[in-house]
């Protein structure tokens, strides 16, 4: 009797039901997959991959070109797709698919689509299995960084087939029967690539083909072994016995067909499916076990490790290893093959906030590679990307590469050309790019007036101003660390205070400001978009990460400030969608969460809960962080409260569950909340452990009575990154009622520029 991996995994989980599982086995890659364009519960897909791997694989339920490649509510699978998609809104590039069929040969994606059930589906980061009902076929997948191993179990059949779909927009396929091999390339992309972009792929089968077909569009040609057209594919057939397994090993390369073959050889070679699966599982466990959570419910552990999985997927490695063992990459900026690292698939507007700080704390060696990749981005593209997929994409606002670069250096990363990156930051800060989302749109206004005006036909002007001001702070911090000329330092120090120019005393919030210095009449703080990016004044007014004290002063002091924070949750979730002309999904996600104007499903407000620590009411941070974790995150297909966004929304949960959050990247501080678990252990790359203990933690005990660090009472509302790196234990005494005295003195508040002089 054949024991499938599906059975094997179920057996293992039965034996371990009463014991703590490996971290990876708490992960549910289906978390967030029950999403639609008008309502996101994550907008994720189940990625079968390695951490930060170049190629992911996913079952494909959506049509070719549909960014929603896999949705939990779908009933049929069309294929198993290699994907590099960071977001359905960005869509995919370099994709092709594999699909087994039996009986009649079908290759059109709709005709070959087949029923499946989640009851006959296993989804793990390192393994995926599903039963394709009408074909009586079980497909299993495991992966490496640039390759994948399929194990396909067929029924007894005279004509069992495997369809390879190279997708449209220009593709090539060739069958090589003598080598049981198919090669080809796909050019399908969604932008951000040069004209010579190709993803070269190779597939090797462990059984000879009984017949061969290529196809293009709707035309099938028997024994035609090679085809180039707009949309091509191949079909190879086999005579199979009941339960016969056909193995398919596949890899790809952005560089050349030869490199694709090399990637296959280097990463799969002669390995069996089980060996690759075990190696993948081991690698995931190594990465996920850097943060060990204990003393929570099973649901909390599943949520935690599902979030950590998402936080270690993107950005993807865009580099490959050549025959000499050297790191090389195809540049999506100039179309050349060049030496060195490159990563792709992230938007800094989202990920500068918590994802990159998480990398700097837990996975700094990976972020060092990413920083080296940014140097190559700048050299090859002329600017740092703000959204890469794989090259420049014209979406979102801000110049937040400044935060990503500065935070890494300020958190101690070294061994790369930081001066070249600083040059890139200054260049981006003083120039408009070849597209709106690179450099700074409206920079001439910003540098002369101190803000981007509301009435000069530059969209989302207030958001740009606020983000540029914070980015100038990040550059200022780096400039001081690099001992740049004093005039240069002073320039960025001045500009980082530009946020003050947008405070509108008439509404007590930030707003757009006209060219003549006036504020727009009847400015509506509930209006989404317009002056802001995917949010309104209630969301963006807190985007003064570097100078919360300055914001407190603008709002009239601590009591007014905390009252305004409270009002975020008590103001009804009403909105003005006139800028968009319809209710965008971010609005709907805020509206239905029953938390007032708090819109955790989008990034601008995600740090706001932690700002009570700057104004003497830290217990409200403790309350609301637990509320958000409990109410807005679940390890289920509808488990997020908006777009997951390449690890950012997940990283918020990881930090918050540990009990602290990086409100202001490019400083050394994390602002305290309250931990979710009884114990979390950080295995730091320097070999030391940092342990967060909260033995009395419970659903009721969500407040911090006292804090002890190094056997001493600790009264501050923040902790220091470099102190964490020294290891040790941070002990939380948790209680059911708030301590209204702890952390209420200004000397205990986190960093603000206004208090640092």
């Amino acid at each position: 009797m054949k024991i499938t991996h599906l059975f094997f995994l179920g057996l293992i989980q039965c034996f371990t039901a009463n014991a703590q599982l490996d971290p990876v086995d708490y992960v549910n890659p289906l978390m967030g997959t029950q999403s639609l364009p008008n309502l996101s519960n994550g907008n994720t897909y189940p990625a079968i991959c390695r951490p930060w791997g170049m190629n992911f694989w996913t079952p494909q339920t959506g049509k070719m070109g549909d960014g929603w490649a896999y949705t939990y509510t779908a009933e049929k699978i069309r294929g198993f797709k290699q994907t590099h998609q960071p977001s359905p809104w960005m869509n995919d590039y370099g994709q092709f698919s594999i699909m087994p069929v039996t009986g009649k040969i079908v290759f059109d994606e709709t005709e070959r689509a087949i029923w499946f059930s989640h009851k006959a589906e296993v989804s793990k980061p390192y393994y995926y299995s599903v039963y394709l009902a009408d074909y009586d076929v079980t497909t299993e997948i495991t992966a490496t960084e640039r390759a994948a191993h399929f194990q396909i179990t067929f029924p007894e059949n005279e004509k069992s087939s495997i369809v390879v779909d190279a997708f449209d927009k220009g593709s090539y396929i060739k069958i090589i029967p003598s080598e049981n091999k198919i090669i080809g390339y796909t050019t399908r992309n969604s932008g951000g690539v040069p004209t010579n972009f190709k993803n070269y792929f190779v597939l090797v089968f462990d059984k000879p083909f009984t017949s061969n077909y290529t196809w293009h569009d709707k035309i099938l040609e028997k024994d035609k072994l090679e085809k180039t057209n707009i949309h091509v594919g191949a079909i190879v057939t086999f005579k199979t016995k009941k339960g016969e397994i056909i193995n398919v090993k596949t890899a790809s390369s952005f560089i050349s067909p030869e490199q694709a073959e090399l990637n296959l050889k280097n990463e799969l070679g002669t390995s069996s499916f089980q060996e690759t699966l075990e190696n993948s599982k081991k690698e995931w466990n190594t990465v996920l076990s850097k943060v060990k959570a204990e003393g929570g419910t099973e649901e909390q552990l599943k949520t935690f490790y599902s979030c950590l999985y998402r936080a270690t997927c993107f950005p993807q490695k865009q580099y490959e290893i050549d025959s000499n063992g050297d790191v090389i990459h195809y540049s999506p900026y100039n179309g050349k093959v060049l030496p060195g690292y490159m990563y792709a698939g992230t938007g800094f507007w989202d990920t500068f906030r918590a994802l990159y700080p998480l990398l700097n704390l837990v996975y700094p060696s990976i972020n060092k590679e990413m920083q080296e990749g940014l140097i190559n981005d700048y050299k090859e593209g002329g600017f740092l990307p703000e959204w890469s997929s794989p090259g420049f994409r014209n979406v979102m606002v801000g110049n937040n590469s400044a935060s990503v670069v500065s935070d890494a250096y300020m958190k101690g990363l070294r061994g790369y050309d930081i001066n070249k990156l600083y040059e890139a930051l200054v260049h981006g800060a003083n120039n408009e790019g070849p597209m709106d989302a690179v450099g700074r749109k409206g920079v001439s206004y910003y540098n002369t007036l101190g803000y981007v005006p509301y009435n000069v036909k530059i969209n989302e002007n207030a958001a740009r101003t606020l983000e540029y001001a914070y980015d100038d702070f990040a550059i200022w911090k780096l400039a001081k660390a690099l001992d740049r000329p004093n005039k240069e330092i002073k320039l960025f120090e001045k500009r980082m205070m530009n946020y003050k120019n947008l405070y509108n005393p008439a509404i007590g919030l930030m707003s757009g400001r006209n060219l003549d210095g006036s504020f727009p009449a009847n400015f509506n703080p509930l209006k989404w978009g317009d002056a802001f990016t995917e949010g309104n004044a209630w969301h963006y007014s807190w985007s003064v990460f570097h100078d919360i004290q300055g914001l407190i002063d603008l709002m009239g002091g601590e009591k007014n400030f905390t009252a305004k924070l409270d009002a975020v949750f008590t103001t009804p979730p009403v909105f003005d969608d006139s800028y968009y002309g319809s209710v965008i999904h971010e609005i709907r996600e805020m509206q239905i969460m029953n938390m007032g104007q708090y819109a955790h499903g989008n990034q601008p407000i995600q740090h706001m809960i932690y700002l009570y620590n700057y104004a003497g009411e830290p217990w409200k941070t403790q309350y609301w962080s637990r509320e958000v974790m409990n109410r807005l995150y679940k390890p289920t297909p509808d488990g997020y409260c908006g777009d997951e966004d390449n690890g950012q929304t997940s990283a918020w949960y990881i930090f918050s569950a540990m009990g602290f959050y990086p409100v202001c990247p490019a400083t050394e501080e994390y602002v305290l909340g309250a931990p979710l678990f009884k114990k979390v252990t950080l295995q730091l790359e320097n070999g030391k452990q940092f342990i967060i203990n909260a033995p009395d933690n419970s659903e009721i005990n969500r407040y911090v009575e006292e804090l002890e660090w190094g056997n001493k009472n600790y009264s501050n509302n923040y902790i220091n990154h470099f102190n964490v790196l020294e290891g040790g234990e941070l002990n939380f005494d948790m209680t059911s009622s708030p301590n209204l005295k702890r952390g209420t003195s200004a000397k205990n508040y986190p960093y603000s520029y206004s208090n640092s002089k």
Side-chain angles (χ1 to χ4, degrees), residues 168-208:
D168 60 2
K169 310 298 184 184
S171 47
Y172 165 77
I173 203 90
K174 182 179 181 180
I175 304 171
I176 309 174
S178 61
E179 300 179 44
N180 300 341
K181 182 186 294 185
I182 297 174
I183 62 172
Y185 65 72
T186 177
T187 65
R188 200 179 215 289
N189 66 83
S190 305
V193 298
T195 55
N196 68 343
F197 171 80
K198 291 183 176 69
N199 186 35
Y200 302 93
F201 56 80
V202 56
L203 303 95
V204 176
F205 303 74
D206 68 348
K207 183 172 183 173

